[in-house]
Amino acid sequence: KAVVSTQSTGIFSSIYSSASISSPLNYFQHKTAGSRTQICQHCMEEPETSLHFLRECVAFAIIRLLTTGQIVMNWKQIVATKINLIIDFIAATNRLNHNVILGEPKFIY
């Protein structure tokens, strides 16, 4: 029987929410009137979708390079990347943390 830590559960929940309507990313928040714009507030270049965040947002390029070894990733690279590196990237950006209040991370694990 696999044991999953509370921290891992929180991160997996964040990954799932990034691809759903409950996502804190602007593309999804804009659809539910939670954001005035769907544009990424970090790079101001593209709609902030899950794929934009994971593979190409220039604002997270250094974090992406340090955690996954890639500055920009295509879909095949994302799929081929070990899940723990993707989780490290997501955690390092703090972008999917629903508990960020006034710019301060409030981690609940």
Side-chain angles (χ1 to χ4, degrees), residues 29-74:
Q29 288 298 306
H30 181 68
K31 289 182 173 287
T32 61
S35 174
R36 291 189 313 223
T37 180
Q38 62 180 341
I39 298 299
C40 177
Q41 298 299 297
H42 300 279
C43 70
M44 303 299 289
E45 294 180 7
E46 304 271 338
E48 189 183 30
T49 63
S50 301
L51 288 178
H52 169 76
F53 165 69
L54 283 173
R55 67 182 189 181
E56 63 198 24
C57 181
V58 296
F60 298 120
I62 298 299
I63 296 172
R64 193 177 301 106
L65 177 63
L66 293 173
T67 55
T68 69
Q70 303 290 327
I71 293 175
V72 175
M73 300 174 75
N74 62 38

Side-chain angles (χ1 to χ4, degrees), residues 73-109:
M73 300 174 75
N74 62 38
W75 184 245
K76 285 183 181 182
Q77 290 169 316
I78 291 171
V79 171
T81 300
K82 292 181 180 178
I83 190 67
N84 64 311
L85 299 179
I86 299 292
I87 290 169
D88 289 347
F89 168 74
I90 292 169
T93 65
N94 203 34
R95 185 61 191 102
L96 300 184
N97 183 355
H98 287 278
N99 301 306
V100 173
I101 301 171
L102 301 176
E104 294 183 37
K106 304 291 183 191
F107 293 101
I108 298 175
Y109 293 112

